[in-house]
């Protein structure tokens, strides 16, 4: 089992920045990947960014150049630095962890970008 706790969400104005954190209850060093997903009201949960165990990065087209995912294995934590935020970035952001054959989700953190 892996518990994931997200933090760092909040209300921010257009063009602002936020950094989300996802703390895992055990070592993430061997995980296949960790990622961030976003769910806007009335929409499905979509991938925002993912980082693999080997350090490969993948981003949704809509956030490329604005968001950066990173991991600190020593702290069992994954981060999502979000810059130049837009109203369409509003939603609940969920952390996802994928050890070998399983998938775990955090409870989500709300990000609201106001214009």
């Amino acid at each position: 089992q892996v518990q994931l706790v997200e933090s760092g969400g909040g209300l921010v104005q257009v063009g602002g920045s936020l950094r989300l954190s996802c703390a895992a209850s055990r070592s993430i060093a061997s995980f296949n990947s960790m990622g961030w997903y976003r769910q806007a009201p009335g929409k499905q949960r979509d991938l925002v960014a993912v980082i693999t165990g080997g350090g490969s990065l993948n981003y949704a087209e809509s956030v490329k150049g604005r968001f950066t995912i990173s991991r600190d294995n020593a702290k069992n934590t994954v981060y999502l630095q979000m810059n130049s935020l837009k109203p369409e970035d509003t939603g609940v952001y969920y952390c996802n962890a994928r050890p070998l054959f399983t998938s775990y989700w955090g409870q989500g953190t709300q990000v609201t970008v106001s214009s």
Side-chain angles (χ1 to χ4, degrees):
Q1 283 282 350
V2 180
Q3 281 75 50
L4 302 172
V5 178
E6 299 105 332
S7 61
L11 175 64
V12 64
Q13 291 186 332
V14 169
S17 298
L18 285 174
R19 189 175 83 152
L20 305 183
S21 300
C22 171
S25 59
R26 64 177 177 92
S27 174
I28 64 173
S30 63
F31 286 8
N32 281 347
S33 69
M34 291 197 70
W36 289 94
Y37 289 71
R38 175 173 69 200
Q39 188 165 21
K43 295 188 176 181
Q44 66 181 20
R45 190 176 299 185
D46 291 326
L47 174 70
V48 174
V50 65
I51 181 168
T52 69
S56 297
L57 308 177
N58 189 33
Y59 295 95
E61 285 294 327
S62 62
V63 307
K64 283 183 179 178
R66 301 187 297 121
F67 290 12
T68 302
I69 188 171
S70 61
R71 63 194 291 167
D72 185 336
N73 289 345
K75 295 182 178 180
N76 299 330
T77 300
V78 172
Y79 304 97
L80 185 68
Q81 178 66 44
M82 306 186 294
N83 299 327
S84 302
L85 283 160
K86 304 175 180 180
E88 51 264 42
D89 295 318
T90 294
V92 179
Y93 283 70
Y94 294 92
C95 179
N96 175 259
R98 298 193 177 187
L100 192 56
F101 297 118
T102 55
S103 180
Y104 297 93
W105 294 92
Q107 81 287 352
T109 185
Q110 176 70 44
V111 171
T112 302
V113 184
S114 67
S115 55

